[in-house]
Every structure is written in structure tokens, then in C-alpha cells.
Amino acid sequence: VRRHTSLTWELTLLALLALHGLLAALAPPVARRWGRGVFLLCAAAPAATTVWVVTRAPSVLAGEAAVESVQWAEGLGVSVDLRLDAFGLVMVALVSGIGALIFWYAHGYFTKPRPDLGKFAGVLTAFAGSMLGLVLADNVLVLFVFWELTSITSYLLIGFEDRKAEARDAALQALLVTALGGLALLGGLVILGQAAGTYSLSAMLAEPPAGGVVTAGLLLCLVGAFTKSAQVPFHTWLPGAMAAPTPVSAYLHSATMVKAGVYLIARLAPAFAVAPVWRPLVIGVGVATMLVGGYRALRQHDLKLLLAFGTVSQLGFMIALLGAGIPKATFAGVALLIAHGAFKAAVFMVVGIVDHEAGTRDLRRLTGLHAAMPATLLVAAVATASMAGLPPLFGFISKEAALEAFLLPATDFGADMGGTLALLGVVVGSILTFAYSARFLWGAFARKRDVGGRGAAGREVVAAGDVHAPPRSFVAPAALLAGAGLVIGLAPRLVDVLVNQAALALDPRWQPQAIALWHGVNVALALTVLVVGTGAVLFAARRTVERYQALVPPLPGSYDAYQRSVRGLVAGAKRLTGVVQNGSLPTYLMVIMLTVVTLPAPFVIGLLWTPAVPEFAAHGLQTVVSVLVVAATLGAVAARRRFVAVLFLGAVGYGVAILFVIHGAPDLALTQLLVETLIVVLFVLVLRHLPDRFARTELRAYRALRGAVAIAVGLFVFAFTLVAGAARTRPSISGEYLARALPEAHGRNVVNVILVDFRALDTLGEIVVLVVAGIGIASLVTAGWLGGRGSRAEQRGAAAAHDRLEEGADR
Amino acid sequence: MRSLILEAGTRAVFHTMLLFSVYLLFAGHNFPGGGFIGGLVAAAAFVLYYIAEGPGHLRKTTRRVRPEVLLGVGILLAAAVGVAALAGGAAFLESGVIEVEVPIIGHVEASSVLVFDLGVYTIVVGLVLVILESLGAEMPS
């Protein structure tokens, strides 16, 4: 019976991943028929995953991880190992649970038909699948592949509004930053894998390697995680990524993409936090990010941007907690991870609803919306309260747990990184969080007196009367998520086992403890009171704070640094290309020829003294033909007209073909003859584009140089042929080919058998080269002719895009 | 410039050359020939046709079958042989032979390498046609 259960396990996770891929591929054609209904179809993938994971939860939470494995690259020892443990369960619940709601929400969000909705739904599904694969992968190389897939799919999603330059820029920045981090991560994972002797994540964590190399590998992994999770100084791509449609932002900020870095650090921390630089770096960067994000969120007027900086801040918080590698902090981190996923998705959905109904997200233009959309306000209030860490919400419980973790004695955090400093940072960060949460709720819904004032001057104000209440089904996903935060807050026992087992799965040292809303009067509670009080003051004095923030010059932005490095890279590449590719064909040839002569020359000359000089000519005719070939060569060199030179070259080729015939190689000779004929004809075609006569170079020295190089190449090839002929140390394989051609390959023509059977892979490579050359010739010639006028393909593409747009508008 | 003799001569040998190229393709496994040589002969036939009739006529012929498509089809054929071998449990590109008794003709051996060779043939023809089309078209003035 047990065997049977393991068999049904075997492919379920993979099948769920494949389902994501299948629906992603189906989405574009389906969207053509169903329009936005495609989102409900695509929701099936994350929904099915969620349902399945819930049914497996009892056994996984009992400590029995689900494992699947499929051989991938056997020779490299890479197999697709999937593993679902309790922490994986938390991540899958976030990725797929929230994912299903996001699809539902997207169905309400895209009310206007647009032709590219199918593409969008497909990429979003692929994105959900990539993230799912990332949190399930047990082989670090497989994890890396999914990691990169999330980078690529998020690039497509952020740049979905590809007609807006800012969306394209934001998408490119996200891709460059996260892909750069991805490269570092690959390096880090390979170092860790080599040091550990295994690429299995669970095996690596069970017996963590140590040493200087491992520290370097960990640093690289951290760079990868920091870029992905938008940590200082790589954080700027995330606020930029809000150029994406809101469903994407809600998903990206809550459950996917940015959580990938948090996930990786959470996995690695318990095993590797003892490494020299880990704790100061991870906790330092995390706390710094928390402060920078919170500070910048306070001064935003765009509600979505406010939340985006809020996410940066919360990510720093999570990195500091889960990266500390202390059981209690890990426990608090898992709780915060769940709480954040729920409330952040909900508040982003609320922003999308406000934007959708009011047409703006600028809090200086919104006033009194609370009256128009009371249900949305309620949802927003509950979610925001969780974000601010107020009781009785889950956000409060997780923040209390976090404060308690940082109240632990400093010795738990290693020698120099005192818990006190981290605690201070977290408290200040929480104050900022409270303040920007309040600002968000106030900004979106409150009645404001100074609305339309400074900065928003001349812009239309949106008040309650201008706005319809959103349909219920549009608010429902956000309501479910916000409600989850409330229900869990009131009855934390619901997630007691989940959070404890997830913390245990990360760190076996954790001793499970009950989660409770009320821990009695203690230091953490006092700190919460302090946070709420100061945060409220900060919010109440928002005018003063804004004025003060305007006075402080902005820090040298990492966005500028990004811009400068991209510009520098492009300029550098241009300069390098200018030097290396100067456009002179003779120079290219000369470089190639000189390389051919100089690099192997020492070895060839060394061997020249021991050549077995071959027989000069076995047949009288060979001498005659050779003399003719040499004469034709000299003729080609002396020719003044290009056409004559081509004919002489053809004569050389025919002469060589005759030599092949004399040697008894009909296939070679036949090929040579045909190729020479074709070359002459095709050469003539090219000659139509060139001047009749060769240009006479004025510089005698340059001509002498070219002559010298030509002679050197000729001598070298001669010497090389002699040496190569004498270089045989093993018996030739020719005999073997002759012997095996008929019995094994059923062919009497050995040349052909070699080409298509014995060495068919070589032939395959060669014909691929032929194809590439054909495409290259066609495009070069076409590009050259159409140069000034823009290519015809481009015009066709633009026309087609225009047609598609009109078609979409008609529908 | 048109040459009547060349045109008439081309019409006489064009189809024969194509037929001969197919013969070379099939015979190649046991006698001189093969996909590459066969393809070159077929290509030479098209080059002759091009010289005799000019680019306009050739384009009428290639409008039905685009040379680029020939390139793609050729690669697909060659790769398909390799993948089919994999699917059959053999190594990539490993050859397989089917022996059939056909009435009248008798014993026939069909080898998978023939398909591979056909791919080579198609690519060579396609490549020369691509060059003829792009380099041989009338120059825009």
C-alpha cells in the first residue's frame, strides 16, 4: 500500500508544473474567443495546485516531505528533484493560493478588451509556474533555472504596456538587475555544490560545507538574493516595476519574485549563518532596506509607489529575520512571510480598484472615496491594519514575534552584530511602516481639505460623487485575503502547526511553541505601543515630515548608478566595436592570417626536422597538373581585373579536382568540380556589385606587407601539410571504416557512409552552418539594399500591429 | 543579353540534370554520389536556368517553394532522423535499415540515412537558390 501511495506521488508535482505550462500555451488562442474569461481558465493551474497541496498538508506537516525525481542530464548528475516540506508548503500556499486569487482579480481588472490579453494571461501563468518550481526545486541547478524563468517572465509582465517608454525601461532595469544577480547566484550555487559534493539542496543543508571558498560562494548567493528581493542598493527596480498592470504588481510584491530571494536566504540561513560575514551583512542590509523603504514610502503621492516602497521595507524586515539563522527569528520570519503575502496582495488589489474606478492613484487628487466604496474601505482598513501591525490581526502577531526574536541576548547574533542595533532598526522601521500604512489609508479614502493643492495644481480632483462602487466580484479576492489576516489573527491556532513545522523544516533546532494573540504585558508589547504612538505622531505631523523630507537632499540614488552603468556599458561597447570592427575587409583577413601563421608556427617549425618527406609524385600527370595549378595561382595574383582573377581561381579548383581523380577519389573530385563551377558563377553575381578592376594601393609598403603575409601563409600551409602527414602515431582508422562500411552501414561508398552515418553528427553541424550562411547572405544583401529606406519586414510588422489594434478596438 | 542557343540547350538538359541529381542522391550509398553531390548537381541545373532565362523566370519558380523553406525543411529532415533514432532507443543519428521484399523489384533495403541525405540535398539546393535570389536579383537603381 505504501509503495502505491509513493507511486501516486511520483508525478503529481511535475504534472502541476506541466499544467501551468500547458495553460500558459493555451491562453493566447483561448483569449481570442473568451476575452478576459481566459483568466478564470488559467486560475485552474494555481487553484489545482492549492487544492492538491492542502490535501497533502497533513502528511507533510507530520514531517514527511514529498519527494519527486526525474532524470534530466544524467551525465552531469542533474535531475529534476522536487521536494515539498513544511516550509515549501507555506511557499506553495502563498504562490498558488494568492496566485489563484490574482487571476480572479485580473478577470475583474481587465474590463476593456485588448488584443494582447491572451499573451498576458499566458505569461502570468508561466510566471506562477516558474515560482512554483523555484520553491519546490531540491536541486540547486533546477532552482536556478526556475529562478531565471521568473526573471524573464517578470520582465515580460512589467513591460506589458510596451508602448510606454517607462514600462519598457522599468522592465529592462528589472531584468538587468535580477539577471546580473542570477549570474552571481549561479556562481555561488556551483561553488557551494562543488564544496558540498552534492547539488541537492536538502543534502547540502544537512551537511553544510565550510571554508573560505564557501564564504565566497555564499556572498555570491547573497548578491543574487539581494537583487531578487530588492535589497539596498539594488532596490530601485522594484518601485519601477509598478509600471506593470496592478494584478502583476499585487502578485510580484506579495507572493512571487521578490519572495524568491527571501526564500533562498531562509533556506540557507540556518546552515550557513555561522559563516564569517553572513550575519552582519544580511541583518545589516535587511535593516537598512527596511529603513530606506519606509522613509521613501512616507513621501510618495502615488499610492502604488507608496506601497512599492513599503514592500521594499517589508522585504528588508523579512531578510533580517529569516537571514539571522536564529530559530526564534526564523519562526517570526515565517509568520511575517505569510502575513505579508496576504495583506500586501490585498492592499495592492485595493489600489488597483481605486485606480480602476477613480482613474488616478494620486492621493492629492482623491478625496472622500470612503463614502463611495465602503466595502473596499473596509477591506483596505483590515489589510492595512495587518500591515501596520495592529491587533487583532496576523500582522500584529508576526511583528510581536519578530520583536521578541530581536530582544534575544546579543550573543545569539554572533560577536559583533549586536541584537540591540538590529532591534533599534526594526523598531524605527516599524514606526515608519505604521506611518506609511496610515498615509496609505488616509490617502486613498479620506476626505481632504488641501486636495488638489501643491504639485497637483490644475489637475482634476476625484471625489466620492465621481466614483462608482466596484462590483463585488472585483473586491472579493482582496476581501478574502484581508479576511484571512483577521481570522488568523483572531484564531492563530489555525496556523500554529503550519508555522511551527515550517520553522522546524528550516531549522531543526527550533522548539515549537504555540502562537497566541496575547502574550501578556512584556517588552515586545511595550515596543508595539511605542511604535504605534510614534507612528501616529509621524502621520499626524505629515505636513512637517514632508517639508523636512523635502529639505533633506535625496541620497545619491542607486537608480542614477544603474543609469550611469548602463550608459557606460553601451558607450564602452560602441568604442570597443569601433576599434575591433573597423570595417576593412583586408585588415580582418590579415589579422586572421597572421594568427594562423604565428600561433602554431613554433610547433610546426619544431617538427619540421623530423618529417617523413612524402613521395613527390607517384604519377607523371600529377606533375603536369601541379605546374598548371601553380601557374593559374600566379595568374590570379597578377590579374588586374576581378573577373579574370575569378576565372584563374576556378582553374586552380579544377586542377585540384583532377589531382583527386588521379588519386582515385571520385566523390571528392566530383564535389570539387561542382563546387568550383558554382563558385565561379556565384562570384560573377557578386562581381556585378564591385568595380571591374582591383584598386591599386598607393602605398608600396602596404602592398609589400600583404605580399609577405600571403607568402608566409603559403609556406606555413606547405610546412603544416608535411608535418601533419608525418604526425601519425596510431594506425589510421581508414581501414576500420572500409571494413565496417558494408556490414554495419549497408553502404559500399565509404565516403558517403562516413558523411551520413559514421560521422553524421559532423555533417549535421556542417549543414547547420550552410543554413546559417544562407540566411546571413540573404539578410546582408537585403539589408544593404534597403539600408536607407527601412526594411520591408519592419513596415509589414508595423502594419500588422496596427491592424491587430483596430481589430481589438472593434470587438 | 539572351542567348537562344543557351536557352534551348538549358531546356534540353534541365530536367535531365534534376533527374540525374536524384539518381546521385539514391545511388550515393553504394556508388559515387550522395546528398551533397546530388544537391550540387540540382543547384547547377538551377544556376544554368538562371543564366539562360534571367532572374525573373527563376523567381516564378521559387515563388511556389521559398528557398528559405527548403533550408528549414532540410534541417528538420536531418534532425528528425537523429531524434527518431533516439526515440527508437538507439544513439542520436544512429542509422537503421528496413529490408522489404517488393514484388517485381525484389529485395529493397531502405536506410534511415537516405532521409538524412535528402536533408543535405535539400539544404544545398536551398542555399544556392537563396544566393541566386539575393545576389542575383536585379539591382535597385
Side-chain angles (χ1 to χ4, degrees):
Chain A
V1 177
R2 189 135 175 81
R3 176 124 192 95
H4 181 72
T5 30
S6 75
L7 264 179
T8 45
W9 271 117
E10 194 113 21
L11 292 173
T12 326
L13 289 171
L14 263 178
L16 287 168
L17 280 176
L19 180 65
H20 281 81
L22 178 74
L23 287 179
L26 278 181
V30 168
R32 241 167 270 147
R33 254 159 203 262
W34 292 6
R36 63 185 178 135
V38 69
F39 288 109
L40 297 181
L41 173 75
C42 288
T49 310
T50 315
V51 169
W52 183 80
V53 153
V54 167
T55 63
R56 295 312 312 183
S59 74
V60 171
L61 290 179
E64 193 186 320
V67 181
E68 288 181 15
S69 182
V70 170
Q71 203 57 249
W72 181 17
E74 211 170 339
L76 296 173
V78 181
S79 53
V80 181
D81 296 327
L82 302 178
R83 190 165 180 274
L84 180 72
D85 63 1
F87 184 58
L89 195 66
V90 169
M91 291 306 296
V92 172
L94 282 175
V95 171
S96 295
I98 295 182
L101 292 175
I102 293 285
F103 278 102
W104 181 9
Y105 175 76
H107 177 259
Y109 183 84
F110 287 102
T111 42
K112 280 187 211 148
R114 33 187 312 175
D116 44 4
L117 218 50
K119 188 185 97 183
F120 179 78
V123 178
L124 192 61
T125 315
F127 181 55
S130 313
M131 194 63 202
L132 182 65
L134 196 159
V135 299
L136 288 175
D138 192 39
N139 183 304
V140 290
L141 296 176
V142 175
L143 182 145
F144 172 76
V145 170
F146 282 115
W147 181 285
E148 293 295 79
L149 277 177
T150 62
S151 288
I152 294 166
T153 44
S154 67
Y155 164 74
L156 294 172
L157 290 173
I158 296 168
F160 176 60
E161 304 278 355
D162 53 11
R163 273 153 202 279
K164 290 188 192 155
E166 59 164 30
R168 293 197 303 266
D169 281 352
L172 188 63
Q173 191 192 359
L175 182 70
L176 287 180
V177 172
T178 53
L180 188 75
L183 279 181
L185 176 70
L186 179 61
L189 291 177
V190 169
I191 291 176
L192 289 186
Q194 292 298 337
T198 172
Y199 280 87
S200 157
L201 187 59
S202 46
M204 196 187 284
L205 296 174
E207 285 173 40
V213 183
V214 172
T215 307
L218 287 173
L219 281 177
L220 288 172
C221 288
L222 283 179
V223 170
F226 287 163
T227 52
K228 199 79 164 180
S229 287
Q231 297 298 293
V232 168
F234 307 112
H235 61 285
T236 43
W237 72 262
L238 186 57
M242 63 138 209
T246 301
V248 174
S249 307
Y251 201 21
L252 201 108
H253 284 255
S254 62
T256 55
M257 190 71 181
V258 293
K259 288 276 168 79
V262 176
Y263 169 80
L264 184 70
I265 286 185
R267 283 279 187 210
L268 296 179
F272 291 107
V274 287
V277 291
W278 180 284
R279 276 201 185 114
L281 186 67
V282 172
I283 299 181
V285 167
V287 171
T289 308
M290 188 180 184
L291 295 177
V292 169
Y295 177 80
R296 304 232 12 215
L298 261 189
R299 50 191 289 194
Q300 302 305 325
H301 298 295
D302 183 332
L303 291 171
K304 208 171 165 187
L305 203 52
L306 188 161
L307 289 181
F309 277 108
T311 306
V312 171
S313 172
Q314 294 280 319
L315 285 171
F317 195 9
M318 278 179 264
I319 293 271
L321 278 173
L322 287 166
I326 302 159
K328 199 158 187 164
T330 306
F331 170 73
V334 172
L336 182 64
L337 198 66
I338 302 172
H340 177 260
F343 69 65
K344 190 47 70 71
V347 287
F348 261 104
M349 287 175 177
V350 166
V351 169
I353 293 169
V354 169
D355 192 12
H356 199 268
E357 304 303 330
T360 179
R361 307 186 299 247
D362 191 330
L363 58 82
R364 290 165 302 186
R365 292 176 57 198
L366 296 166
T367 184
L369 291 196
H370 64 90
M373 35 176 81
T376 314
L377 168 66
L378 182 67
V379 170
V382 172
T384 312
S386 190
M387 179 157 78
L390 287 178
L393 291 130
F394 192 34
F396 167 75
I397 297 177
S398 60
K399 190 161 284 187
E400 289 276 277
L403 290 172
E404 274 175 24
F406 281 112
L407 280 167
L408 286 174
T411 44
D412 285 7
F413 289 88
D416 28 332
M417 190 67 197
T420 328
L421 207 56
L423 179 67
L424 189 68
V426 167
V427 169
V428 175
S430 301
I431 293 172
L432 293 171
T433 305
F434 183 87
Y436 75 69
S437 300
R439 181 182 171 86
F440 166 73
L441 204 59
W442 164 82
F445 295 101
R447 185 181 304 284
K448 289 160 227 162
R449 268 169 298 151
D450 57 345
V451 75
R454 278 170 300 122
R459 276 187 260 167
E460 202 186 333
V461 169
V462 182
D466 312 324
V467 177
H468 299 287
R472 261 183 221 151
S473 67
F474 192 23
V475 188
L480 277 176
L481 287 165
L486 181 64
V487 170
I488 297 176
L490 288 172
R493 206 148 4 125
L494 289 172
V495 292
D496 193 74
V497 182
L498 181 66
V499 177
N500 273 305
Q501 287 300 318
L504 198 62
L506 285 175
D507 194 340
R509 292 170 298 174
W510 171 243
Q511 286 152 354
Q513 68 175 50
I515 309 184
L517 185 61
W518 180 249
H519 278 284
V521 179
N522 55 16
V523 189
L525 188 69
L527 285 175
T528 303
V529 173
L530 174 74
V531 164
V532 172
T534 322
V537 170
L538 213 54
F539 169 69
R542 57 187 172 273
R543 290 281 189 78
T544 326
V545 172
E546 268 185 51
R547 222 172 299 141
Y548 171 73
Q549 283 198 332
L551 281 180
V552 180
L555 297 164
S558 63
Y559 181 69
D560 290 339
Y562 160 78
Q563 287 281 346
R564 264 202 304 278
S565 47
V566 169
R567 268 200 301 269
L569 187 68
V570 172
K574 270 186 187 158
R575 221 168 296 148
L576 187 67
T577 312
V579 172
V580 179
Q581 302 285 337
N582 62 359
S584 160
L585 219 48
T587 311
Y588 294 168
L589 269 182
M590 197 108 89
V591 170
I592 294 171
M593 294 296 187
L594 280 175
T595 314
V596 167
V597 174
T598 46
L599 283 188
F603 308 100
V604 172
I605 292 169
L607 290 169
L608 255 185
W609 310 119
T610 56
V613 178
E615 201 179 357
F616 177 70
H619 198 287
L621 206 51
Q622 281 178 331
T623 320
V624 179
V625 176
S626 302
V627 170
L628 285 177
V629 165
V630 171
T633 312
L634 291 174
V637 173
R640 302 229 161 164
R641 297 183 61 196
R642 289 176 202 266
F643 183 64
V644 178
V646 168
L647 290 183
F648 272 123
L649 281 182
V652 172
Y654 285 135
V656 173
I658 296 172
L659 287 180
F660 288 151
V661 175
I662 296 170
H663 265 291
D667 274 276
L668 267 183
L670 196 50
T671 312
Q672 175 80 13
L673 272 176
L674 287 164
V675 167
E676 283 303 330
T677 313
L678 283 173
I679 281 181
V680 169
V681 174
L682 298 181
F683 234 134
V684 170
L685 294 181
V686 179
L687 286 187
R688 298 185 310 158
H689 303 273
L690 295 174
D692 184 31
R693 287 166 185 278
F694 288 107
R696 277 291 172 194
T697 337
E698 303 296 331
L699 286 174
R700 289 180 66 91
Y702 186 55
R703 281 179 66 193
L705 175 66
R706 290 200 298 186
V709 170
I711 291 170
V713 171
L715 285 176
F716 169 78
V717 172
F718 178 71
F720 183 79
T721 317
L722 277 186
V723 171
R728 182 175 298 290
T729 56
R730 296 283 168 90
S732 156
I733 53 168
S734 315
E736 200 73 5
Y737 277 153
L738 285 168
R740 290 191 183 191
L742 194 55
E744 289 189 15
H746 303 264
R748 284 187 198 84
N749 180 354
V750 180
V751 177
N752 185 257
V753 165
I754 292 173
L755 282 177
V756 298
D757 198 333
F758 291 157
R759 307 207 58 94
L761 195 59
D762 292 356
T763 310
L764 187 64
E766 281 153 21
I767 55 179
V768 168
V769 171
L770 284 188
V771 169
V772 172
I775 295 168
I777 292 171
S779 19
L780 270 181
V781 170
T782 321
W785 285 354
L786 297 173
R789 298 182 282 157
S791 89
R792 227 172 286 165
E794 262 174 32
Q795 288 166 7
R796 268 205 304 276
H802 185 251
D803 289 348
R804 273 201 301 278
L805 264 187
E806 288 197 332
E807 187 187 322
D810 286 344
R811 235 183 311 174
Chain B
M1 188 187 70
R2 295 178 64 177
S3 150
L4 196 62
I5 299 174
L6 187 60
E7 269 182 46
T10 302
R11 272 174 215 173
V13 298
F14 181 69
H15 299 97
T16 321
M17 281 179 83
L18 285 185
L19 203 63
F20 180 56
S21 77
V22 175
Y23 162 78
L24 284 173
L25 167 67
F26 280 93
H29 215 47
N30 291 319
F31 307 100
F36 194 70
I37 294 172
L40 285 173
V41 169
F46 282 109
V47 168
L48 196 61
Y49 184 78
Y50 166 84
I51 295 172
E53 307 275 353
H57 273 78
L58 187 72
R59 191 154 319 119
K60 261 183 223 158
T61 319
T62 54
R63 193 167 294 155
R64 284 227 192 108
V65 185
R66 303 281 313 140
E68 297 90 336
V69 175
L70 287 182
L71 293 179
V73 168
I75 282 288
L76 281 181
L77 281 177
V81 173
V83 176
L86 272 187
F92 185 65
L93 283 171
E94 196 172 321
S95 63
V97 176
I98 306 167
E99 298 184 28
V100 202
E101 294 297 331
V102 182
I104 304 170
I105 301 173
H107 183 79
V108 171
E109 280 187 2
S111 172
S112 67
V113 299
L114 188 63
V115 181
F116 185 84
D117 232 3
L118 184 64
V120 177
Y121 177 95
T122 319
I123 285 174
V124 172
V125 174
L127 176 67
V128 173
L129 285 178
V130 163
I131 297 175
L132 279 183
E133 253 212 352
S134 48
L135 289 176
E138 296 103 26
M139 283 184 285
S141 44

